[in-house]
Amino acid sequence: MIRTHEAGTLRAPHAGQQVVLAGWVARRRDHGGVVFIDLRDASGVVQVVWRGEEAVGHELRAEFCVRVTGTVRARPPGNENPDLPTGAVEVVADEVEVLSEAEPLPFPVEGAAEVSEDVRLKYRYLDIRRSQTARALRIRSQAAYLLNDVMREHGFVNVETPYLTRSTPEGARDFLVPVRLRPGTWYALPQSPQLFKQLLMVGGLERYYQLARCFRDEDFRKDRQPEFTQIDIEMSFVTRQDVIEVAEDIVARLWSELAGYRIPRPLPRMTYAEAVARYGSDKPDLRFGCELTDLTGYFAGTQFRVFQAPYVGAVVMPGGAAQTRRELDGWQEWARSRGARGLAYALVGPSGEITGGSIGKNLSDAERSGLAAATGAAPGDCIFFAAGAAAAARELLGAARLEIADRCGLIDEQAWSFLWVVDAPMFEEDGAGGWTSVHHPFTAPLPEWADKFPAEPGGALADAYDIVCNGTEIGGGSIRIHRPDMQRAVFDVIGLSEAEARSQFGFLLDAFRYGPPPHGGIAFGWDRVCMLLAGAATIRDVIAFPKAASGLDPLTGAPTPITPAQRREAGIDAAPGAAQRREAGIDAAPGAAQPPG
Ligand code: ASP
């Protein structure tokens, strides 16, 4: 080792010891003949005192990498720094050796300077020197240790599944990889290890887990990454309850060790139908109330045309009657930006009467007088309405509920709310008159739907479960189909012919001919879990080298065009697979897809 001690570990009892330290110059201050250096390494910071001509003349700048030989001593009384773990001591340097110099920095490593994310990501290695970024990565690492402990205690087998494989049916686009030795053929990067984990169950491993990297070529959204990590789990001979218990063990361990929070066990459960009806969301944030009210019955005989709809609902904004005209107009803008026509509202006066709002005059006296009671609104509140198809209206009210919480400061940021949302629909309409799987096509129906789902796909419920934390889905899974006849029936519902099914996952169907066990599993979004544990604002903060929000990597410049030679060698232009090529945009001219600027 080129040092004897780590800077952040020095304490009062070290006084008098000769030490050799190595690290970076976090700060340097000149005080007439004495130079103070805050020396930082991975363990923390210690103050170094360097005297003499060499010290004063030396051009030692921030982030130089140095080695310091010196003696630890107690700081002079009154000079201790209680904010620093090493604040009782300092190191009096005999020698400071520069191991490497640093050029002027693109942004200060120390201090809380606001730096744009693109710049932070371009110089991610400097960003990682900053304490908050390093802390987030350490929390992620600790979380992985804890996860591995829990899985080992439960007898799970850690298996690595392939990255170079073929399409997995998670419903997104695949990233494709050309294969030089078989020109015109392509691997797909896995969207999840779903098929492999099911094969491992056929293989008799019974309990599998993996921290698995997944790749989905989706449109870039604020907090999405084209590659992300999942805790992927699969178990044989289990019911939903068994999977949920293992999942709760993981969450309990992570949150108690890393967030100091004991989750209530068992975690509350809610059906999908209830979550959507009460909160307008399949991932409700339960840290605050403001539940939706269903007013469809209340307005059953209304003369008001807009409310003569399959569903009428409302959500109440506490104190919302005090909003200015501009704020109320702002809500209309907000609703339109979400694709709605507007957001009808009524204001509640001091004795519970409707005093105004966009719809007050359209309602009958009886409708007006009972409205506050029907919605639970108090004097001074504002009632927002949505009417139309139930799903869309509830979604709008659910979004309004979150917006209300935000504007009224209703969320206790220190609180945790976990719940399971169970029994989601198996299928949803695909917009072209057919059906598609809500989860993936290997999800089993609830037992009571096992025989009737083919006849009634719209009502069929899946034996599926999603775990939600503070209004974000952090994991989801299901009991799987293991009977070929039932699998065939699901493919029929989603319009997948025998030949298509065989060509996409014939290998799984083949495996299911050899005694597949009943099985089920779950996957957690590991980046999101770590983000919550680290108290980070985005998943990018807990990924060492994330893509920027645009999907580009400011550090390496990826993705980049390839050379004509690479292109030839990879066999990209060989004939088979022309359709997938077009989808993936492979024949676009280099640079064509790069966003302006
Ligand atoms: N494969 C699913 C996913 O990635 C999770 C699961 O069903 O276990 O979302």
Side-chain angles (χ1 to χ4, degrees):
M1 291 293 272
I2 72 164
R3 65 179 165 202
T4 60
H5 289 75
E6 293 180 354
T9 63
L10 299 179
R11 298 288 183 275
H14 288 100
Q17 284 190 31
Q18 265 273 330
V19 294
V20 183
L21 307 176
W24 290 269
V25 175
R27 282 200 188 85
R28 169 215 168 106
R29 299 177 300 279
D30 284 331
H31 280 288
V34 190
V35 173
F36 290 94
I37 302 164
D38 287 345
L39 183 78
R40 183 192 67 237
D41 66 17
S43 66
V45 175
V46 73
Q47 174 164 288
V48 173
V49 187
W50 194 20
R51 294 172 195 283
E53 252 166 61
E54 198 211 340
V56 176
H58 203 294
E59 242 221 281
L60 198 63
R61 288 193 309 265
E63 299 308 315
F64 272 35
C65 187
V66 296
R67 177 157 68 166
V68 173
T69 308
T71 310
V72 182
R73 73 166 185 205
R75 290 206 199 184
N79 284 0
E80 298 91 348
N81 181 352
D83 297 335
L84 204 62
T86 61
V89 296
E90 57 194 8
V91 174
V92 181
D94 301 319
E95 194 194 337
V96 175
E97 180 191 347
V98 174
L99 300 175
S100 67
E101 297 188 354
E103 290 181 15
L105 301 165
F107 54 83
V109 167
E110 297 294 330
E114 280 287 320
V115 185
S116 85
E117 190 176 42
D118 267 5
V119 175
R120 280 174 48 205
L121 293 184
K122 180 164 164 63
Y123 299 94
R124 187 61 158 176
Y125 41 86
L126 292 179
D127 189 43
I128 293 172
R129 285 192 198 169
R130 303 175 108 200
S131 57
Q132 63 273 39
T133 310
R135 177 183 159 272
L137 295 182
R138 284 174 198 282
I139 289 179
R140 185 178 178 124
S141 162
Q142 282 173 333
Y145 288 138
L146 292 168
L147 169 75
N148 289 325
D149 287 347
V150 176
M151 300 323 277
R152 188 168 45 200
E153 286 160 22
H154 281 289
F156 278 80
V157 185
N158 187 345
V159 180
E160 293 155 83
T161 52
Y163 283 171
L164 296 177
T165 177
R166 60 188 297 162
S167 253
T168 36
E170 299 284 358
R173 281 197 186 78
D174 292 318
F175 281 105
L176 300 172
V177 182
V179 180
R180 177 180 59 86
L181 293 174
R182 310 204 59 157
T185 63
W186 301 74
Y187 290 115
L189 299 180
Q191 295 184 33
S192 86
Q194 184 63 35
L195 301 177
F196 289 103
K197 67 177 175 174
Q198 295 194 243
L199 291 177
L200 291 171
M201 296 304 104
V202 180
L205 281 190
E206 294 198 15
R207 295 186 153 215
Y208 142 90
Y209 89 107
Q210 177 185 196
L211 269 176
R213 193 66 62 83
C214 304
F215 305 86
R216 295 185 191 174
D217 186 4
E218 294 178 292
D219 293 341
F220 293 115
R221 278 211 236 137
K222 216 176 87 245
D223 215 13
R224 278 247 178 97
Q225 289 280 308
E227 57 179 307
F228 59 92
T229 307
Q230 265 183 197
I231 312 176
D232 198 46
I233 291 174
E234 197 73 9
M235 302 165 74
S236 290
F237 306 118
V238 289
T239 61
R240 163 201 292 198
Q241 181 60 25
D242 301 301
V243 182
I244 282 183
E245 275 173 27
V246 168
E248 288 189 5
D249 277 348
I250 295 170
V251 173
R253 183 79 63 93
L254 292 177
W255 259 263
S256 76
E257 301 266 334
L258 298 178
Y261 176 70
R262 226 169 242 287
I263 62 160
R265 300 215 34 195
L267 290 176
R269 284 182 211 180
M270 195 179 283
T271 64
Y272 176 98
E274 185 183 351
V276 166
R278 289 174 58 190
Y279 300 97
S281 167
D282 59 357
K283 37 183 176 296
D285 189 335
L286 302 188
R287 289 174 297 173
F288 65 100
C290 286
E291 291 189 26
L292 275 47
T293 318
D294 187 335
L295 296 172
T296 318
Y298 186 87
F299 286 113
T302 190
Q303 298 299 308
F304 180 32
R305 284 249 314 282
V306 178
F307 282 4
Q308 293 167 354
Y311 170 88
V312 185
V315 63
V316 173
M317 178 177 186
Q323 294 177 99
T324 62
R325 186 65 214 214
R326 254 186 77 207
E327 284 169 324
L328 289 163
D329 288 347
W331 278 103
Q332 308 311 310
E333 271 305 305
W334 172 89
R336 278 193 287 273
S337 74
R338 306 188 57 86
R341 261 182 298 158
L343 192 64
Y345 64 93
L347 307 176
V348 185
S351 44
E353 77 289 11
I354 300 300
T355 55
S358 64
I359 56 157
K361 52 190 175 309
N362 300 300
L363 305 182
S364 70
D365 288 347
E367 285 168 344
R368 291 159 61 104
S369 64
L371 205 47
T375 56
D381 289 352
C382 172
I383 309 169
F384 289 115
F385 302 88
R394 283 178 165 142
E395 197 183 317
L396 181 65
L397 291 172
R401 175 179 176 266
L402 293 177
E403 188 69 22
I404 289 168
D406 196 34
R407 293 191 192 190
C408 300
L410 300 181
I411 294 177
D412 173 1
E413 297 291 345
Q414 305 304 316
W416 292 109
S417 105
F418 288 89
L419 84 152
W420 290 101
V421 175
V422 300
D423 305 350
M426 265 187 102
F427 305 105
E428 61 193 353
E429 281 169 64
D430 66 1
W435 298 99
T436 139
S437 297
V438 169
H439 279 83
H440 47 62
F442 311 109
T443 303
L446 281 179
E448 59 267 35
W449 281 94
D451 297 323
K452 49 184 186 167
F453 75 84
E456 255 185 273
L461 299 180
D463 202 352
Y465 30 82
D466 284 349
I467 181 166
V468 176
C469 173
N470 292 357
T472 2
E473 183 193 316
I474 58 169
S478 59
I479 296 299
R480 325 295 184 191
I481 295 168
H482 71 282
R483 282 195 355 238
D485 55 330
M486 184 182 278
Q487 189 65 68
R488 182 65 255 149
V490 168
F491 291 155
D492 284 344
V493 172
I494 61 175
L496 200 68
S497 73
E498 187 97 39
E500 285 166 328
R502 279 225 66 80
S503 96
Q504 287 177 35
F505 20 75
F507 58 99
L508 184 76
L509 305 179
D510 284 344
F512 278 10
R513 288 161 40 200
Y514 302 101
H519 59 290
I522 189 167
F524 282 90
W526 188 236
D527 306 294
R528 198 136 278 146
V529 165
C530 293
M531 173 189 97
L532 290 164
L533 290 170
T538 90
I539 61 170
R540 298 187 292 283
D541 290 342
V542 292
I543 297 174
F545 299 104
K547 312 287 182 279
S550 58
L552 309 182
D553 175 6
L555 174 72
T556 65
T560 57
I562 57 171
T563 63
Q566 283 175 307
R567 194 184 173 88
R568 260 194 316 280
E569 202 171 43
I572 285 175
D573 299 314
Q580 270 172 312
R581 280 227 309 279
R582 258 197 310 281
E583 245 222 322
I586 281 162
D587 298 321
Q594 282 168 18

